[in-house]
Amino acid sequence: GRAKKRKNTQQKQQQSKQISYDNNGGEGFGTSTKLEKPYLRLTSQPKPEDVRPLKILKLAFARLQEQYLADDVNSYPYVNEQLKSIRQDLTVQEVRRNSFGLKVYETHARIAL
């Protein structure tokens, strides 16, 4: 009865975590293709469909840099939010410790100053 149902639920949860949160060789587990995404403070494990993989993060960052340098975006709160969102996606996928992650963090620090 209940014990068997609980065991099945626990097994499904463990399988879900193992499959869903694989770093994919440094590319991340995210599947979102959105270039813009609001920063939201996480209160639980993020869903892969809400996280952008590394290749999408690179596109989003390049687009944000172009907009910022061309003065298309003169709102610091918007740029700050987008950079925080990119950093968060890097962090939850454990891919922030590479040259791209460093570039994002340095850029964010420079803009903040």
Side-chain angles (χ1 to χ4, degrees):
R2 285 185 174 168
K4 186 176 180 180
K5 187 176 181 180
R6 190 174 351 172
K7 185 177 179 181
N8 286 341
T9 301
Q10 289 173 344
Q11 287 175 342
K12 286 180 184 177
Q13 288 174 343
Q14 287 176 344
Q15 289 172 348
S16 173
K17 286 181 183 177
Q18 291 170 357
I19 294 169
S20 300
Y21 301 106
D22 180 18
N23 184 296
N24 193 23
E27 291 297 313
F29 62 80
T31 60
S32 175
T33 58
K34 295 178 182 177
L35 292 181
E36 289 185 28
K37 184 181 119 179
Y39 171 77
L40 300 171
R41 202 168 287 280
L42 294 176
T43 57
S44 63
Q45 282 282 1
K47 297 176 185 170
E49 60 268 19
D50 295 333
V51 178
R52 297 166 291 184
L54 187 57
K55 66 181 179 181
I56 300 298
L57 291 171
K58 287 180 178 180
L59 292 172
F61 181 67
R63 181 174 178 265
L64 186 61
Q65 278 187 307
E66 288 174 13
Q67 290 175 323
Y68 182 75
L69 294 174
D71 282 334
D72 289 344
V73 180
N74 56 7
S75 167
Y76 173 75
Y78 170 78
V79 172
N80 184 49
E81 178 185 50
Q82 291 303 304
L83 286 168
K84 282 170 53 175
S85 180
I86 290 170
R87 288 175 43 195
Q88 183 177 59
D89 284 355
L90 288 169
T91 299
V92 298
Q93 298 177 98
E94 298 179 3
V95 293
R96 69 180 182 268
R97 294 187 178 167
N98 59 24
S99 60
F100 175 67
L102 180 61
K103 188 173 185 179
V104 170
Y105 275 80
E106 284 180 350
T107 300
H108 197 181
R110 285 188 178 127
I111 290 173
L113 296 174

